[in-house]
Amino acid sequence: MNVYEAIKNRRSVRAYMDKPVPEEVLNRILEAARLAPSANNRQARKFVVVTQKSLKEKLAQAANQNFLAQAPVIIAAVGTNPDKIMSCGIPADPVDVAIAVDHMTLAAVEEGLGTCWIGAFSQEKVCEILGVPKPYKVIELMTLGYPADTPRPKSREPLEALVCREKFS
């Protein structure tokens, strides 16, 4: 599969088979995150891999999304340089972590796995559950596993509606 196929085939999966993700597959996906670029190559991020049933259930409660507990793996993506603001005025942590998580989603497609980005959760509860110290923040949670169904593609705006040439319009 090439990267364009992976991009086209990626879906938000919310139903998973009760089948563990082999450690070597998980490590390849985590390696994709490790290789992702970051502001000034600071690599200021950590990934908490959660497979323990009781912790997954607590995270599902903290996100008020029960399907999280079904996933064989939940990865919490943590930004570890909350004070870094890029010269463009944007905080680096959310950008750096998003790039790494996106690398993982595409690697997961290559491995026949599904993922779902989770941005709706209680920051305080998730940090407490996972022992993430202040001032670090969990930027995203991501479920990972073998899809139990095939989610249908979402509609997307046409390219012409998204792309401006030379000036914003």
Side-chain angles (χ1 to χ4, degrees):
M1 174 180 310
N2 69 47
V3 70
Y4 296 107
E5 290 174 51
I7 291 167
K8 191 173 183 176
N9 292 329
R10 194 220 57 84
R11 303 280 184 270
S12 293
V13 174
R14 291 179 176 83
Y16 294 93
M17 291 183 203
D18 185 17
K19 178 180 176 183
V21 175
E23 193 67 23
E24 63 274 8
V25 172
L26 179 57
N27 284 337
R28 283 194 297 269
I29 291 166
L30 292 166
E31 178 70 2
R34 186 185 75 80
L35 294 172
S38 62
N40 299 111
N41 197 31
R42 280 186 164 77
Q43 303 171 58
R45 56 205 173 199
K46 292 240 181 199
F47 304 97
V48 182
V49 177
V50 179
T51 57
Q52 189 179 94
K53 184 176 173 53
S54 63
L55 284 178
K56 291 189 300 180
E57 288 170 353
K58 288 177 183 177
L59 290 172
Q61 288 177 348
N64 198 28
Q65 298 186 61
N66 292 333
F67 84 93
L68 272 73
Q70 289 179 357
V73 179
I74 299 173
I75 299 173
V78 181
T80 61
N81 194 5
D83 297 327
K84 171 67 177 164
I85 305 296
M86 296 183 291
S87 62
C88 63
I90 302 296
D93 269 0
V95 174
D96 291 347
V97 169
I99 295 168
V101 171
D102 201 48
H103 275 50
M104 286 192 284
T105 66
L106 297 177
V109 171
E110 174 69 23
E111 299 285 352
L113 296 168
T115 60
C116 189
W117 287 65
I118 310 296
F121 57 86
S122 165
Q123 182 70 225
E124 185 178 312
K125 289 178 184 174
V126 169
C127 285
E128 182 180 320
I129 292 164
L130 300 177
V132 176
K134 290 183 185 214
Y136 300 161
K137 296 222 187 250
V138 176
I139 307 297
E140 292 287 337
L141 297 174
M142 185 186 78
T143 55
L144 176 70
Y146 293 95
D149 59 15
T150 305
R152 58 190 163 93
K154 301 262 183 185
S155 64
R156 296 288 185 245
E157 292 288 331
L159 194 58
E160 300 78 34
L162 304 174
V163 177
C164 308
R165 303 285 179 172
E166 311 311 333
K167 289 192 176 205
F168 187 90
S169 59

